[in-house]
């Protein structure tokens, strides 16, 4: 166990967290500055609401801060942060049932789009929007596509694509096996391919 | 197929990151303060830390005091009964019981003032003669 602690003790974030255990608020402020953007963006990509993302990110850091005395460096600090973030997001979705309704609405839109894909392309070309508008539209479509995925798949995609986590790290974060992560990502890519086929 | 999936993966990159709002840290510390106050308010006003241990100590002290008093009383009774055997009659025993009073009486009798009174009494007697 001690060797396990030694393995991560050199991690600067772990060092800061150990300082936080002695109620060093400056150390926590440093951790906050370093990781807030990452946490907010994971949640934002998952929930697609900036205010909600900031609120939940604060919940994440509040959880970290209040449990600082029980913290043991058994893994990389970021792995712990990812775990808390993923848990909070998945619980939030489960409690609000927002994801389900959005999944349905997205499914409906994608079905509608699938019915008339050509017409949609035609419309876009007719309107000749400028590049910024096109980017914004694409961003919206991608966000909706990610939101349309089942929560576990969505989180796996976000952690893999945007945080560049390994399968092992995602497995640790989502409390499942590496094999399950691979299966989740495979299904997620298939779903995304179906939803975004008009844009590739 | 793989190529398509790579393109999808690239497409996901179009989702740009957002910047945290400028008051994120301030709001966070506000939440921390609120949480700490909430935790404090949930604690009972009248707190007795380690109440059980303290009660045990108090109970043990009471038992020890009662026990010592009881032992002292028994010892005294025993001493008195030993004395009763030593003295021959009830009168002597009574004297021993009121030993303190007897001692005081002895002191009073030895007072010089009373001795003078005795002398004066004698003077009266001689005058009569």
């Amino acid at each position: 166990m001690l060797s396990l602690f030694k393995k991560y003790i050199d991690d600067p974030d772990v060092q800061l967290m150990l300082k936080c255990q002695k109620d060093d608020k400056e150390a926590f402020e440093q951790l906050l500055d370093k990781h807030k953007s990452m946490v907010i963006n994971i949640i934002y990509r998952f929930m697609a609401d900036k205010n909600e993302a900031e609120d939940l990110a604060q919940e994440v850091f509040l959880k970290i801060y209040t449990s600082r005395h029980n913290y043991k460096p058994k893994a990389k600090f970021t792995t712990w942060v990812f775990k808390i973030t993923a848990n909070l997001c998945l619980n939030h979705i489960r409690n609000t049932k927002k994801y389900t309704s959005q999944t349905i609405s997205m499914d409906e839109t994608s079905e509608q789009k699938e019915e008339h894909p050509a017409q949609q392309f035609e419309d876009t070309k007719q309107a000749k929007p400028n590049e910024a508008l096109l980017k914004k539209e694409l961003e919206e479509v991608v966000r909706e596509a990610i939101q349309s995925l089942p929560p576990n798949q969505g989180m796996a995609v976000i952690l893999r694509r945007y945080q560049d986590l390994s399968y092992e790290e995602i497995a640790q974060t989502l409390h499942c096996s590496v094999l399950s992560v691979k299966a989740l990502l495979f299904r997620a890519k298939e779903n995304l391919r179906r939803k975004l086929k008009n844009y590739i | 197929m793989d190529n398509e999936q790579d393109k999808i993966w690239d497409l996901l990159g179009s989702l740009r990151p957002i910047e945290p709002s400028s008051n994120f840290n301030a709001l966070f510390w506000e939440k921390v303060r609120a949480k700490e106050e909430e935790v404090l308010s949930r604690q009972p006003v009248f707190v007795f830390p380690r109440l059980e241990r303290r009660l045990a100590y108090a109970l043990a002290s009471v038992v020890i005091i009662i026990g010592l008093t009881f032992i002292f009383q028994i010892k005294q009774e025993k001493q008195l009964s030993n004395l009763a055997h030593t003295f021959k009659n009830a009168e002597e025993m009574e004297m021993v019981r009121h030993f303190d009073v007897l001692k005081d009486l002895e002191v009073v009798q030895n007072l010089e003032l009373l001795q003078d009174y005795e002398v004066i009494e004698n003077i009266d007697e001689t005058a009569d003669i």
Side-chain angles (χ1 to χ4, degrees):
Chain A
M1 189 61 127
L2 205 68
S3 60
L4 193 70
F5 289 173
K6 274 182 188 170
K7 193 176 166 188
Y8 299 103
I9 209 86
D10 294 332
D11 180 358
D13 292 338
V14 169
Q15 287 293 325
L16 284 173
M17 200 57 206
L18 293 176
K19 280 185 186 174
C20 290
Q21 286 191 322
K22 293 167 190 163
D23 291 331
D24 184 341
K25 286 192 175 180
E26 290 240 332
F28 197 81
E29 188 91 21
Q30 282 182 51
L31 280 174
L32 202 61
D33 285 336
K34 196 171 169 187
H35 298 293
K36 66 182 174 189
S37 184
M38 173 190 82
V39 173
I40 288 172
N41 275 296
I42 292 174
I43 302 170
Y44 175 63
R45 279 162 181 148
F46 191 72
M47 318 274 289
D49 183 322
K50 195 187 171 186
N51 291 332
E52 214 167 13
E54 291 219 345
D55 276 351
L56 267 181
Q58 282 180 350
E59 285 297 313
V60 170
F61 285 108
L62 199 63
K63 221 172 175 87
I64 295 171
Y65 187 76
T66 50
S67 53
R68 66 193 183 280
H69 294 301
N70 302 323
Y71 173 73
K72 286 184 181 76
K74 283 189 261 182
K76 268 166 74 181
F77 175 74
T78 43
T79 308
W80 190 44
V81 176
F82 288 137
K83 249 186 209 180
I84 295 173
T85 310
N87 277 346
L88 266 176
C89 283
L90 295 172
N91 285 341
H92 186 77
I93 290 295
R94 211 170 293 139
N95 294 339
T96 54
K97 307 263 181 195
K98 189 180 169 186
Y99 219 97
T100 327
S101 61
Q102 279 182 346
T103 309
I104 293 163
S105 70
M106 182 62 198
D107 283 346
E108 281 166 0
T109 18
S110 59
E111 274 167 22
Q112 284 162 5
K113 278 176 193 171
E114 275 164 19
E115 277 173 23
H116 314 285
Q119 190 190 341
Q120 276 193 1
F121 268 114
E122 208 178 345
D123 282 347
T124 324
K125 277 175 188 169
Q126 271 176 357
K128 285 185 183 169
N130 62 34
E131 209 171 318
L133 259 170
L134 201 68
K135 267 187 179 175
K136 203 166 183 189
E137 191 196 324
L138 195 61
E139 207 178 329
E140 201 53 47
V141 170
V142 169
R143 184 176 297 123
E144 278 184 22
I146 292 174
Q147 282 239 293
S148 73
L149 295 172
N152 269 350
Q153 285 182 26
M155 189 49 81
V157 165
I158 289 166
L159 294 175
R160 181 75 178 157
R161 174 63 181 85
Y162 302 103
Q163 299 305 321
D164 213 16
L165 293 196
S166 66
Y167 292 129
E168 287 78 13
E169 283 172 312
I170 298 172
Q172 261 188 304
T173 307
L174 298 180
H175 307 281
C176 59
S177 66
V178 173
L179 217 63
S180 305
V181 172
K182 285 181 181 173
L184 271 177
L185 283 169
F186 178 77
R187 274 188 238 123
K189 280 180 185 176
E190 278 298 298
N191 284 335
L192 287 172
R193 194 172 60 83
R194 269 207 305 275
K195 312 260 185 216
L196 299 169
K197 68 179 176 188
N198 295 336
Y199 295 86
I200 50 175
Chain B
M1 173 89 164
D2 275 353
N3 194 28
E4 246 185 5
Q5 285 206 340
D6 286 344
K7 279 182 182 170
I8 292 288
W9 217 233
D10 288 341
L11 205 60
L12 293 183
S14 58
L15 198 58
R16 283 168 297 172
I18 54 164
E19 283 300 312
S21 54
S22 54
N23 60 346
F24 184 86
N25 290 19
L27 279 173
F28 168 74
W29 289 115
E30 226 168 77
K31 279 191 178 177
V32 168
R33 262 192 300 277
K35 182 94 184 173
E36 282 172 348
E37 275 169 22
E38 188 195 318
V39 170
L40 278 177
S41 67
R42 257 191 275 147
Q43 281 179 350
V45 182
F46 205 61
V47 186
F48 267 120
R50 297 191 297 263
L51 180 67
E52 283 174 11
R53 193 186 290 182
R54 282 166 186 232
L55 274 175
Y57 284 148
L59 200 70
S61 308
V62 168
V63 168
I64 288 169
I65 290 167
I66 291 173
L68 284 176
T69 317
F70 190 65
I71 289 167
F72 182 72
Q73 261 188 338
I74 288 178
K75 224 174 171 180
Q76 246 190 349
E77 286 291 323
K78 219 173 178 178
Q79 271 183 340
L80 278 175
S81 64
N82 284 345
L83 280 172
H85 285 295
T86 327
F87 296 108
K88 291 167 192 166
N89 52 39
E91 198 185 337
E92 274 184 338
M93 185 60 209
E94 198 59 26
M95 276 173 68
V96 171
R97 265 191 206 284
H98 302 289
F99 185 75
D100 288 344
V101 182
L102 285 174
K103 217 175 164 186
D104 291 345
L105 188 66
E106 200 180 347
V107 171
V108 171
Q109 280 174 344
N110 288 334
L111 281 173
E112 279 182 30
L113 179 75
L114 289 178
Q115 282 169 1
D116 290 344
Y117 180 68
E118 205 175 340
V119 172
I120 293 165
E121 257 186 350
N122 293 337
I123 287 171
D124 288 345
E125 277 171 23
T126 44
D128 287 341
I129 295 166

